[in-house]
Each structure stands twice: as C-alpha cells, then as structure tokens.
Amino acid sequence: MSLFQKHLAGIHIEHHKNTMDKATEKMPLPDKVYISMVQHIGAPCQPVVSVGDHVKACQIIGDSPAPVSAPIHASASGKVVAVEPLMTLMGLWSQTVTIALDKVQESLEGLEPPVIRNREDFIKAVRDSGLVGLGGAAFPTHVKLNPPNPERVDTLVINAAECEPYITADYRTMIETPDLVVGGIKTVMKHLNIPNCVIGIEENKPLAIEIMRDLTADTPEIRVAELENKYPQGAERVLIYETTGRVFPPGKLPADAGVVVLNVSSAAVLEKYFQTGRPLISKRVTVDGNAVRTPKNVMTLIGTSLDDMIAFCDGFKRIPKKILMGGPMMGRAIYDDGKALIKNNNAILAFDEEWAAMPPETPCIHCGRCVRACPLKLMPTSLYKAYNSSDIDELKRLHVSLCMECGCCTYVCPAKKPLSFVNRLGKKLVAEGGK
C-alpha cells in the first residue's frame, strides 16, 4: 500500500459548532496589551520600541531582517510600559512589548492602500501587512505566496473547511465579510497570475457555501468545493487532494503540485489591508467550551489577555480544568489564562474536570484503527514502539516527520494511547539526533 495513495482516511467527530449562529462581538479596549515578538514560524522579531515610548495603532514595534519573518504592529495606541521576556502560550520565553492603552486608539499617520506595480510590490505589501497563516501554523504569508517555482502554480486553494470542533471564526468571516474574502481571492489571483481557485468548505456550512457560490457565480475561474464532514479536511495535504485530486511527496511544497493554499480569513485580512493600508492588529476568535458561561465569537486586539476575553464572555460557569489555544484535536493546552492572544490563535476553549479528564491507558490490542484513521497512512503503533526504544532509524523509516499531529490516531485508539503526542516527541528525537 502506497504511503501516498489517493484514498485519504480521517475520522467523523462531533463538531460542537455552538457559536455558528452567533455574530461576532467587538470587545471593548483592554487596559493593556502584551504583544509577543514570537508570532510566526521562523525568526522572531526584535523590539524596535523602548519603555516610555508612545506608540500608535498600526505602528511597527517589532521586525526582523530574516527572510522567514513578518513585522509586528502595535494593536493599540498608548505608552510602552515594559519590554521584557515573558513566557508565551507555547511555553517559550519571548521578548514582549507591553502597552498601557490611552483608550484613544490613535492610528499611525499616512496609512494608505499599497501601490502595486508588479509581483515584487505585491509580495512586499503582503509582508508589510504583518499577515501570517491564520489557520494554525502561522507561516509568514509573504513567504507562502512566493514559492521558488511560481511558474508551476495554476491553482489557489482556499482553506475554509474549519474542521476542528467548536471553532467558527472562519465561518463567521464568510458570513459577515464575504466581500473581503472574495476580494482577497481575486487580488491574490491577479497579482500572482494564478488562473484558477477552489474554495474548500465542509458540507455542514451550507449558508457559507451558498454565499460563496453566489458571490463567485460570475467568476467561473473560482469554484466552491463542498467537502465531506470529515476531520481533518483542513489539513494541507488532505485539502489539496480533496479539492484538486493532486498529491505531493515528502519534502516537497504545495507549489510542486501546482498549488498555493491560503486560509479563508487570511484572504479577508489581505483584502482589508489592500483597501485601507491597515495591517493585522486584531483577530476574530471563538471562545467556547463547557466551562465558559456565554460562548461567543469575539473580535479583539492582538495582545489581549485571555482572561479579559473570558471575562467578556461572562467568565467561567465552572472551574476550568483545561484551557486550550485552538481546537480540541490540534490545539495546545495552556498553563495560564493571563497569557495574551497571538496572530494565529483562532479559539480559546475551556473545559471542566469531567470533560478534560484523561482516560487511563491500557495495552494495545492491535486492532489497526489508528492505521485506518491516519490520513497519511502512517503506522502509529509502530512509531510508538520506535520512540519508546529510541530507534531513530526506525522513526525515519516510518516517516515520523510526515505526521501532522492531527490526533486522529489518538481519538480512535480503544487503548487510549497518546499516539499523536508520541509522534511529536519522535519528531523531536529525530531532529536532535537522539541527544
């Protein structure tokens, strides 16, 4: 059986889209924002402001000359009261700029739509927007839209699957600002000379499908693909196959299959920037979970503390045992709700002790469910054994680096083994060479 056979697996899970019909509510300005200099994959930014500086909204406060990076902007106007290392939501130390808001929300002077004369201008403008992937990995968008072989790209794939349970931020983007979504798609297609686009949306979002089809009815080069409700439809390799029928081998980029993938909310943010010149400083986030009193979709500033967001949702109705940044399948558990929102965070989920309880692990019964569920046909139980024996060669042979940590194997395992998490550890072991 080929590792990249065209039959992609996955699992059916409960979606819990509790906030699907809840319009986005704009949060009041907080007293402070805490803006980390680590907001994307690649080189962290360095602060370019100092304690005591007065900054304006949309002003650059962090940047890096590294090719894989993106500038970071002040999300509000006010006084810089600290520039210091703070631990991020990911458990890493990062230089963080703390701004005490003046509640005026004064914007930087001279903000105007960028002037685009050629491809280079377009890529530079995308970088200037500060946009990174809003669907999960936070890869700088200007790098994603500038592959080394642009001549091979003939299709733009828009990821609107939003297959993780609970999260409805992308869905509300399509419902509330569909013109920005379609405008962003057309802008990218125009400046990158991409002739075709397909928008992948799971079938449990019929209103979004209808709206996107209506808005693109006169644009035959853009089509909407109605995807099966099956997790993880939003994973890059899965989405590309389900929307185009194309596959690409390990070590290759989507562009090698003639594709560039862009999150649907990223398309909307780009179009807003190209219309106004205002960079990414705020974010739509789903706040949900059975410990949250009033689940909502919230629009708030980058750098807003999570406890402020929870308070805006009327606080906790139960004591939270686990708080997640992101969805329950691929999100990260965080240790402190005082941490701050970053660019790629699309959900905050809080669960009580009953829902967060970890079931006891039992011996493997060799049922093969994990193998059948894996979208990439990896061998989770074999990887589990290889990691426990520190067998780096076997981990490589079994393609541990290919695992996208979607959690399907863990979800279906009757023995409740943490297979996906062990794969993460296995990748780290391989990267460190067994040290």
Side-chain angles (χ1 to χ4, degrees), residues 36 91 129 138 143 155 164 185 220 231 237 275 305 310 335 346 353 363 391 394 404 420:
S36 169
S129 75
V143 179
T155 303
E164 276 263 18
I185 290 170
Y231 178 84
R237 289 180 182 275
Q275 290 181 9
S305 67
I310 296 292
Y335 67 96
N346 53 5
E353 186 165 10
D391 191 337
E394 184 69 355
M404 56 188 172
S420 181

Side-chain angles (χ1 to χ4, degrees), residues 286-320:
T286 299
V287 182
D288 200 351
N290 78 324
V292 176
R293 188 174 303 279
T294 308
K296 297 179 180 182
N297 288 299
V298 175
M299 181 67 74
T300 190
L301 301 177
I302 303 296
T304 301
S305 67
L306 305 189
D307 52 3
D308 282 345
M309 295 170 62
I310 296 292
F312 182 67
C313 296
D314 303 317
F316 294 118
K317 63 181 179 181
R318 298 183 181 92
I319 297 174

Side-chain angles (χ1 to χ4, degrees), residues 117-273:
R117 295 174 294 266
N118 49 45
R119 181 188 181 92
E120 289 70 27
D121 286 346
F122 175 76
I123 297 299
K124 180 182 182 301
V126 174
R127 186 189 191 280
D128 291 344
S129 75
L131 183 60
V132 302
L134 301 182
F139 197 76
T141 303
H142 71 96
V143 179
K144 175 178 283 191
L145 296 182
N146 191 29
N149 50 350
E151 70 285 348
R152 296 191 60 175
V153 177
D154 61 17
T155 303
L156 173 66
V157 173
I158 299 297
N159 186 355
E162 200 166 43
C163 56
E164 276 263 18
Y166 292 94
I167 308 175
T168 61
D170 283 347
Y171 175 77
R172 293 311 307 182
T173 295
M174 290 186 281
I175 301 301
E176 297 173 26
T177 58
D179 291 333
L180 287 178
V181 172
V182 175
I185 290 170
K186 291 180 178 179
T187 297
V188 172
M189 293 175 69
K190 172 185 175 182
H191 292 295
L192 295 186
N193 195 30
I194 301 176
N196 303 295
C197 174
V198 55
I199 308 171
I201 309 175
E202 280 197 311
E203 60 190 358
N204 65 343
K205 305 174 183 68
L207 181 56
I209 292 171
E210 178 184 352
I211 290 173
M212 289 296 106
R213 283 180 172 164
D214 285 348
L215 284 178
T216 58
D218 61 349
T219 313
E221 57 268 29
I222 302 175
R223 67 179 177 89
V224 176
E226 186 172 333
L227 306 176
E228 180 185 358
N229 293 338
K230 197 174 186 180
Y231 178 84
Q233 289 283 33
E236 191 171 67
R237 289 180 182 275
V238 177
L239 182 70
I240 289 172
Y241 173 70
E242 296 293 345
T243 54
T244 69
R246 302 178 188 180
V247 295
F248 56 101
K252 298 295 183 180
L253 297 172
D256 296 308
V259 171
V260 166
V261 180
L262 190 66
N263 172 265
V264 66
S265 291
S266 297
V269 168
L270 264 186
E271 183 63 10
K272 184 177 180 180
Y273 176 72

Side-chain angles (χ1 to χ4, degrees), residues 382-411:
S382 297
L383 287 164
Y384 187 87
K385 294 177 181 177
Y387 172 75
N388 285 333
S389 60
S390 300
D391 191 337
I392 293 178
D393 290 337
E394 184 69 355
L395 287 169
K396 291 179 179 178
R397 188 186 72 80
L398 293 169
H399 302 283
V400 69
S401 62
L402 195 61
C403 174
M404 56 188 172
E405 301 173 30
C406 67
C408 288
C409 53
T410 301
Y411 186 88

